[in-house]
Amino acid sequence: MGKVRRGKDTLTELVEALCKDYGRRQALMRGEATSRRVKNELVYLNMRLFEAAGEIVGGNLAEAFIRDIGEGIGYGRTELSFFSETEYKTQKRLCVQNIAKRLFLCD
């Protein structure tokens, strides 16, 4: 009998969705048709994601990890293959956890 894989919790799914939307928010922030209020919220979300990931992996790798989290990219397809598989998975998991904490979605 095969191993039953546990599904993701909703908090992880929420963080992944926010990461997946990172690029769309960046594009809207640059757009002139986007209202000031919306831009402020978009900047807030992206900065919180960037800072939270950066606290774990450093600012130079933060966007790469955000992309991997959002797009569901695993070790086999990442551009961050200079990490060992174990270290990559650990850093990615810590980024997800820290993003949730920095957005005050959990303690």
Side-chain angles (χ1 to χ4, degrees):
M1 186 142 89
K3 185 177 180 182
V4 177
R5 193 170 186 171
R6 195 179 88 203
K8 293 180 186 175
D9 63 52
T10 56
L11 182 56
T12 300
E13 290 176 344
L14 177 58
V15 170
E16 289 172 351
L18 288 168
C19 288
K20 188 171 187 169
D21 199 43
Y22 186 86
R24 182 192 71 88
R25 288 191 303 270
Q26 279 187 314
L28 283 175
M29 287 186 290
R30 290 186 214 106
E32 292 182 25
T34 307
S35 70
R36 192 170 124 204
R37 171 64 195 251
V38 170
K39 281 184 184 183
N40 287 340
E41 295 300 325
L42 299 175
V43 167
Y44 172 79
L45 281 172
N46 275 14
M47 286 304 299
R48 297 302 285 187
L49 264 67
F50 183 84
E51 289 171 355
E55 287 176 358
I56 303 300
V57 298
N60 57 332
L61 297 176
E63 286 188 341
F65 270 93
I66 291 168
R67 182 186 59 252
D68 283 7
I69 292 165
E71 297 299 325
I73 295 171
Y75 183 73
R77 294 186 309 130
T78 187
E79 295 176 3
L80 302 168
S81 58
F82 50 86
F83 283 99
S84 70
E85 183 173 4
T86 303
E87 185 65 17
Y88 171 79
K89 289 179 177 181
T90 299
Q91 295 300 310
K92 191 173 170 184
R93 179 179 43 79
L94 291 173
C95 282
V96 169
Q97 291 171 349
N98 204 42
I99 289 168
K101 286 179 184 176
R102 293 298 177 223
L103 288 173
F104 302 101
L105 300 172
C106 66
D107 288 318

